[in-house]
Amino acid sequence: MERQRRIIWYKPWHPYAFILLAIVGLFIFRLGPMAFAFVMSFTRWDLLTSPEWIGITNYLELFTTGDFWVVVKNTFVFALVYVPGGLLVGLLLALLINVKVKGIGFFRALFFSPLVTSAVAIGMVWNWILSPQYGIFNYLLEVIFHVEGISWLGNSATALIAIAAIFVWKEAGFYMIIYLAGLQNIPVNLYEASATDGASKFQKLRWITLPLLTPTTFFALVISLFRMLRHFELIYAMTRGGPGIASTTLPYSIYQNAFIFYRIGYASAIAYVLVLLVGVVTLINFYYKRYWVKYQY
């Protein structure tokens, strides 16, 4: 009787009731703003007056402005430093801490801590470290390597690379956790069998660890393309996009045009160009993953 009563009370719409708030939140805080920004990309709007419909003028201005292509190039340079750098450093850290020794939890927390630290605080600290006058980095270069220090953030040739490298340092703990989970899912018997056959540590890494980590690497690669869009705070805290526009990337350009120049429509157009670029690169990754991702031997 109790079982029948439980079945009678069940309705097909009950599961949907539990996820209703999540669906409403998705439409209000995610899909809604995305649709609104897409419409705004065809308007001229300064937040003070009513939006004026101008068609594709914002997009035409984007593709005919030289500064925009410099910003696109900066974004690709940033990605070329951050994406492989973050994955490589994260993998090395995961290999380093994938051991069962006393106190290893402390080092895992230590490597992970930059990720949960305020980006603005990190930017302020690194501004001091890279300072051309009293920064410790230039001091060490002069003392150890007898190399004259430079203005890392004030030089258009080094500002963007320096910020990308700092972002790698900040985010490496995130990829470390991902790779650590992948390492701990590799069957131990594969290493035991290879040790019986006389395989060295390098051979185990080359023929067992790295191939079986390719699904993890693919996941981290896709995630890194989206996390790359979060570097706005560091640029804001360290260079404000300068010198000139040498360290201005698409995410920072969106902020700059929207909340400094009050060109909401133009900023929305930049945002959708950025979405298109990330989407194309992601689709390319999914297409080519069949050639290098191995799920089993």
Side-chain angles (χ1 to χ4, degrees):
M1 180 64 68
E2 182 182 354
R3 182 180 178 184
Q4 291 179 350
R5 187 181 299 113
R6 190 179 301 121
I7 295 175
I8 292 173
W9 277 102
Y10 173 77
K11 301 294 182 183
W13 54 265
H14 283 174
Y16 298 99
F18 287 101
I19 63 173
L20 179 62
L21 286 178
I23 293 176
V24 171
L26 175 66
F27 277 92
I28 293 178
F29 299 108
R30 296 282 184 168
L31 300 181
M34 288 176 62
F36 180 76
F38 180 72
V39 174
M40 288 299 102
S41 69
F42 297 100
T43 67
R44 181 185 292 113
W45 187 34
D46 60 3
L47 288 178
L48 301 176
T49 59
S50 299
E52 176 188 354
W53 185 268
I54 58 174
I56 62 172
T57 302
N58 287 326
Y59 292 96
L60 292 176
E61 182 180 349
L62 276 179
F63 296 121
T64 57
T65 303
D67 286 352
F68 173 73
W69 294 109
V70 174
V71 172
V72 171
K73 184 201 74 173
N74 291 344
T75 305
F76 276 104
V77 171
F78 188 95
L80 289 175
V81 175
Y82 166 70
V83 174
L87 299 187
L88 179 60
V89 175
L91 174 60
L92 293 176
L93 290 177
L95 292 171
L96 184 64
I97 66 171
N98 188 32
V99 292
K100 295 181 179 180
V101 297
K102 187 176 181 180
I104 193 63
F106 167 78
F107 292 99
R108 292 176 180 176
L110 180 66
F111 294 146
F112 188 79
S113 59
L115 181 69
V116 295
T117 304
S118 166
V120 175
I122 287 176
M124 294 175 63
V125 171
W126 277 98
N127 270 334
W128 171 76
I129 293 175
L130 299 177
S131 171
Q133 298 176 345
Y134 47 81
I136 189 172
F137 190 76
N138 280 340
Y139 174 77
L140 292 176
L141 286 179
E142 293 176 3
V143 171
I144 299 175
F145 300 103
H146 306 289
V147 176
E148 184 177 355
I150 65 172
S151 178
W152 296 97
L153 301 177
N155 190 325
S156 58
T158 58
L160 184 64
I161 304 298
I163 294 175
I166 294 169
F167 201 60
V168 169
W169 170 82
K170 181 181 185 301
E171 295 272 309
F174 175 77
Y175 301 107
M176 175 193 73
I177 296 299
I178 294 176
Y179 274 116
L180 184 61
L183 286 171
Q184 294 181 350
N185 280 329
I186 297 177
V188 180
N189 61 333
L190 293 177
Y191 293 108
E192 294 173 349
S194 63
T196 303
D197 293 335
S200 64
K201 290 184 178 180
F202 177 79
Q203 289 173 326
K204 293 177 183 178
L205 176 67
R206 170 66 180 84
W207 298 107
I208 298 177
T209 304
L210 294 182
L212 292 181
L213 278 180
T214 50
T216 304
T217 300
F218 174 74
F219 172 76
L221 177 62
V222 173
I223 293 297
S224 68
L225 293 175
F226 293 95
R227 293 186 70 84
M228 186 193 73
L229 308 181
R230 302 178 57 186
H231 63 268
F232 151 78
E233 300 99 327
L234 276 179
I235 294 178
Y236 178 81
M238 299 182 71
T239 64
R240 299 291 200 278
I245 59 171
S247 62
T248 299
T249 58
L250 287 173
Y252 186 78
S253 181
I254 294 170
Y255 158 79
Q256 199 173 41
N257 281 281
F259 301 109
I260 296 180
F261 305 138
Y262 294 104
R263 302 186 66 192
I264 304 300
Y266 189 74
S268 299
I270 298 175
Y272 267 89
V273 170
L274 179 59
V275 168
L276 179 63
L277 290 175
V278 174
V280 169
V281 174
T282 303
L283 288 176
I284 292 173
N285 286 334
F286 272 93
Y287 177 79
Y288 282 103
K289 77 170 185 175
R290 55 183 172 177
Y291 296 110
W292 63 277
V293 176
K294 297 182 179 180
Y295 291 97
Q296 61 182 4
Y297 270 114

